[in-house]
């Protein structure tokens, strides 16, 4: 039995089904960093809100409250969906009902004239106290990291660019989606060697 010549082993193998090339590895690393950052951001939002009011809310619900408060002007569901780049209107409406029940948001208008939502006096106070906790805990932590604050504008711009790229990819995928049950036209046909029933 021949001895195998074992080459130098890499300590980590980063290749997998979403990362078959160096470019795919970089995109996969970015995507999983986004997932982890999104979850951490949600945890922070929920905990920061809980520190200023006894109201259980998810990260997206907290974000919705601050979007409603932004510029102190009423906003429609369509406005909120556009601001958050969301399409799940039923979930937005559920969150709005929860915020209304908690006394943080008020609903006004009618179906014909248009329904809008705005922060109540309690909602504005909660948003202001949330901003105070954010200024005390989060912003100084960022400032303590060397040059991190200077890189935030470029990071925000990069995320905006990636948002546009993902949205374009969504449109492409929706345009060229295969119908269920339709055979893939690009599947290679079987050769005689691949068909066991074919006789020479």
């Amino acid at each position: 039995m021949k001895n195998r010549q074992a080459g130098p082993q890499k300590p980590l193998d980063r290749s997998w089904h979403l990362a078959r090339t160096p470019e795919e590895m970089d995109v996969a690393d970015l995507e999983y960093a986004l997932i982890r950052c999104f979850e951490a951001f949600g945890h922070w939002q929920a905990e920061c809100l809980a520190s200023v009011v006894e109201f259980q809310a998810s990260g997206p619900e907290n974000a919705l409250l601050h979007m409603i408060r932004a510029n102190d002007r009423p906003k429609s569901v369509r406005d909120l969906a556009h601001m958050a780049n969301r399409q799940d209107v039923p979930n937005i409406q559920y969150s709005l009902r929860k915020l209304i029940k908690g006394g943080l948001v008020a609903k006004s208008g009618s179906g014909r004239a248009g329904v809008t939502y705005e922060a109540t006096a309690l909602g504005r106070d909660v948003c202001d106290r949330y901003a105070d906790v954010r200024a005390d805990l989060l912003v100084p932590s960022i400032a303590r990291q060397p040059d991190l604050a200077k890189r935030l504008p470029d990071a925000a711009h990069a995320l905006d660019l990636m948002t546009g790229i993902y949205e374009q990819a969504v449109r492409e995928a929706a345009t060229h989606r295969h119908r269920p049950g339709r055979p893939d036209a690009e599947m290679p046909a079987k050769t005689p060697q691949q068909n066991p029933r074919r006789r020479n």
Side-chain angles (χ1 to χ4, degrees):
M1 185 174 180
K2 294 182 179 180
N3 294 327
R4 292 184 178 180
Q5 297 292 330
Q9 299 253 344
K10 293 182 179 180
L12 296 174
D13 184 3
R14 295 174 59 224
S15 63
W16 55 303
H17 72 279
L18 289 179
R20 299 162 297 186
T21 66
E23 293 79 11
E24 289 180 350
M25 289 179 188
D26 290 340
V27 174
D29 285 345
L30 172 66
E31 289 178 337
Y32 276 85
L34 282 173
I35 291 170
R36 292 189 294 270
C37 186
F38 175 77
E39 294 298 333
F41 180 47
H43 298 159
W44 154 252
Q45 290 183 95
E47 197 61 35
C48 186
L49 184 66
S51 71
V52 298
V53 64
E54 291 186 5
F55 180 76
Q56 295 295 322
S58 65
E61 288 166 349
N62 175 76
L64 201 60
L65 172 62
H66 292 286
M67 287 178 192
I68 293 169
R69 170 72 198 280
N71 304 118
D72 286 318
R73 63 176 177 82
K75 297 175 184 70
S76 66
V77 171
R78 183 177 180 180
D79 293 332
L80 296 169
H82 182 67
M83 292 172 69
N85 194 32
R86 290 176 60 177
Q87 297 179 341
D88 55 333
V89 172
N91 290 332
I92 294 175
Q93 292 172 327
Y94 171 81
S95 296
L96 288 170
R97 290 193 296 270
K98 184 174 176 181
L99 292 169
I100 291 170
K101 186 176 181 180
L104 303 177
V105 168
K107 174 182 176 181
S108 61
S110 63
R112 178 172 293 234
V115 175
T116 58
Y117 301 85
E118 59 185 325
T120 63
L122 174 61
R124 292 192 296 273
D125 181 62
V126 166
C127 288
D128 290 342
R129 286 188 282 138
Y130 180 102
D132 291 338
V133 175
R134 181 175 178 268
D136 287 343
L137 297 181
L138 185 67
V139 175
S141 296
I142 294 172
R144 283 194 291 269
Q145 303 301 317
D147 296 326
L148 178 59
K150 295 178 182 178
R151 301 203 305 267
L152 291 183
D154 288 337
H157 181 62
L159 289 174
D160 282 338
L161 287 176
M162 289 302 300
T163 299
I165 290 170
Y166 277 118
E167 290 295 341
Q168 177 59 31
V170 166
R171 288 189 288 272
E172 291 284 335
T175 301
H176 303 293
R177 183 187 304 155
H178 289 291
R179 291 195 303 268
R182 179 182 177 185
D184 191 341
E186 296 183 1
M187 288 290 290
K190 287 184 177 181
T191 62
Q193 290 79 8
Q194 292 173 313
N195 191 341
R197 295 183 180 179
R198 180 74 177 263
R199 295 182 179 178
N200 294 331

